[in-house]
Amino acid sequence: MINIFGYTMVQLTDLMIKLKLPKFRASQLANWIYQRAAVSFDDMNNLPKDMRQMLKEVCVIHRAASVDQLDSSDGRTSKFLLEFSDGVAVETVLMRQPYGNSICVSSQAGCNMGCAFCASTIHGMTRNLTAGEMLAQTFYINELLKKEGQKVDTIVIMGSGEPLTNYDNVLSYIRLLHEDYCLGMSYRSITLSTSGIVPNIYKLAQEGIPVNLSISLHAPENELRSELMPINKHYPLDTVIKAGRDYGEATHRRVTYEYILIAEVNDSIKQAKELAELLKGQLASVNLIPINPVTERNWQRPSLDRINAFESYLNKKHIPVTVRREMGNDIQAACGQLRNKHI
Ligand code: SAH
């Protein structure tokens, strides 16, 4: 059985050809799967009965089912553990922000980047997710929101996994989000976050799709960055910063550098100064994220004073900076913690 959820119009058309069905049926099928969110061929009442029967024999429409859910006490953040048909489960987060509904999508089940502060990588990577599985996460939440007359407004590919090591599937997913026959989202409402897979940052810049890029930096010099993020040994800091600069120039999109603040590790003014030096003259902003302490590691958030001092220093150097507002901390929204509990 093939799962056609996540199929593009081209793939659906190929399927019609293979089944010796008229090509125009592909767009009807797409309409049912994506616009009307059908999961059963029986519902597709504008398709001939024998076609529905034929489809049922060769394909399925599998999305994702929630096997666990945690809601923050203020009700604004919900985290779902979504399971696919093979039993693999990933986390997806809904954040009801003042500017709209934002979701955080996982690109892999687990992760093999090995970042020292991250819960997603503790059990390694189970497998890449397909475009359909990333879309299924999106649909799960979009269907939920529809019942309240709302929808998914912005997407960050910032859940578990390294999207740029699952490049083709992630790109298919992003393109599908944008297609009018699917969700018709603008590329500008989509953000991809990477630990800094330099060659694929360049590849992404050439795709002609203006998605926002976030780069996880977390340290302003190589020694510390390699300790926190082993990927830095392959793609050192200066190559990452240059790729970010080039991405900004190619796409005219401001690149965001994520910087987790960990007490006594990377939160000194000396480090703020090094960070400001690195980013000088670049179309960039910094998002400071006070670390979500993970039970598996012994790191703490800096005091509010130290966070403010770090922020002020960057401001003084004219680097646009935001501090991530706490959301969902009471539900362990740090990547991977709900999934780990199940594993
Ligand atoms: N692999 C990609 C996307 C997934 S991680 C990347 O590295 O960007 C998404 C973001 O969550 C990254 O900035 C990551 O560094 C951050 N993150 C991971 N663990 C965290 C923690 N314990 N506290 C705060 N942020 C964390």
Side-chain angles (χ1 to χ4, degrees):
M1 286 284 188
I2 47 173
N3 181 9
I4 57 172
F5 190 81
Y7 265 35
T8 61
M9 192 67 83
V10 172
Q11 289 173 304
L12 289 173
T13 307
D14 285 347
L15 180 68
M16 295 303 101
I17 294 170
K18 223 188 281 163
L19 296 176
K20 302 197 166 49
L21 290 164
K23 281 191 205 168
F24 76 91
R25 297 290 185 196
S27 48
Q28 286 181 307
L29 202 49
N31 183 268
W32 277 110
I33 305 172
Y34 300 129
Q35 309 268 295
R36 304 166 82 160
V39 286
S40 156
F41 294 108
D42 293 325
D43 295 339
M44 305 182 178
N45 55 20
N46 61 349
L47 303 184
K49 265 216 172 96
D50 55 343
M51 172 177 169
R52 284 186 254 163
Q53 190 54 40
M54 193 191 278
L55 287 172
K56 266 201 264 185
E57 280 162 20
V58 292
C59 48
V60 287
I61 307 165
H62 275 162
R63 298 205 310 225
S66 178
V67 290
D68 203 349
Q69 175 177 349
L70 291 170
D71 301 300
S72 65
S73 47
D74 66 3
R76 303 210 304 133
T77 305
S78 300
K79 183 175 214 180
F80 303 89
L81 189 69
L82 298 182
E83 190 180 66
F84 305 116
S85 50
D86 67 348
V88 165
V90 300
E91 294 176 12
T92 311
V93 184
L94 163 63
M95 292 155 286
R96 298 164 192 267
Q97 309 268 23
Y99 54 81
N101 295 308
S102 181
I103 66 166
C104 180
V105 168
S106 292
S107 57
Q108 295 173 327
C111 186
N112 58 13
M113 288 294 113
C115 297
F117 46 80
C118 182
S120 292
T121 201
I122 287 169
H123 301 287
M125 185 182 77
T126 307
R127 64 172 176 82
N128 278 326
L129 299 188
T130 63
E133 288 168 335
M134 288 177 257
L135 194 64
Q137 296 172 58
T138 315
F139 265 62
Y140 182 85
I141 294 180
N142 206 43
E143 289 305 294
L144 210 84
L145 290 168
K146 261 193 203 166
K147 293 181 195 144
E148 306 167 20
Q150 299 187 45
K151 62 176 173 50
V152 170
D153 299 300
T154 56
I155 294 182
V156 294
I157 307 173
M158 215 181 260
S160 295
E162 172 45 58
L164 291 188
T165 61
N166 184 17
Y167 190 89
D168 291 342
N169 288 328
V170 167
L171 260 284
S172 306
Y173 165 59
I174 293 173
R175 290 185 194 281
L176 261 174
L177 289 173
H178 179 70
E179 292 289 354
D180 282 333
Y181 63 77
C182 194
L183 292 178
M185 292 185 71
S186 96
Y187 287 126
R188 292 183 154 69
S189 60
I190 303 166
T191 299
L192 181 150
S193 178
T194 180
S195 56
I197 312 296
V198 168
N200 286 352
I201 294 177
Y202 283 100
K203 204 167 157 190
L204 184 65
Q206 296 310 312
E207 298 281 355
I209 54 171
V211 292
N212 304 301
L213 183 67
S214 273
I215 297 179
S216 297
L217 213 60
H218 308 327
E221 41 87 13
N222 278 312
E223 197 183 332
L224 178 60
R225 191 167 190 266
S226 294
E227 244 173 72
L228 297 177
M229 305 177 72
I231 192 66
N232 190 65
K233 292 172 204 151
H234 292 269
Y235 306 116
L237 202 53
D238 53 323
T239 66
V240 173
I241 300 284
K242 182 167 186 311
R245 190 182 298 269
D246 293 346
Y247 187 88
E249 278 167 18
T251 61
H252 307 292
R253 307 292 295 156
R254 182 185 295 276
V255 172
T256 302
Y257 289 94
E258 289 156 277
Y259 193 101
I260 295 180
L261 285 170
I262 313 171
E264 311 294 334
V265 173
N266 66 354
D267 65 337
S268 70
I269 291 301
K270 178 173 170 284
Q271 286 155 322
K273 192 172 170 187
E274 288 167 351
L275 180 60
E277 274 303 309
L278 271 180
L279 301 181
K280 205 164 65 183
Q282 183 172 157
L283 181 67
S285 63
V286 172
N287 188 204
L288 297 174
I289 313 164
I291 188 169
N292 277 317
V294 291
T295 40
E296 293 86 349
R297 320 260 181 203
N298 187 28
W299 272 324
Q300 300 306 320
R301 273 190 194 164
S303 66
L304 208 54
D305 278 354
R306 275 178 82 96
I307 295 172
N308 290 341
F310 202 97
E311 182 190 14
S312 305
Y313 186 88
L314 294 178
N315 267 327
K316 206 171 71 193
K317 295 291 166 184
H318 308 292
I319 300 200
V321 53
T322 50
V323 179
R324 186 171 294 178
R325 280 194 42 249
E326 290 308 329
M327 283 194 91
N329 201 37
D330 56 333
I331 57 166
Q332 297 196 316
C335 321
Q337 294 183 27
L338 181 59
R339 181 165 181 266
N340 288 353
K341 197 183 87 193
H342 278 253
I343 290 176

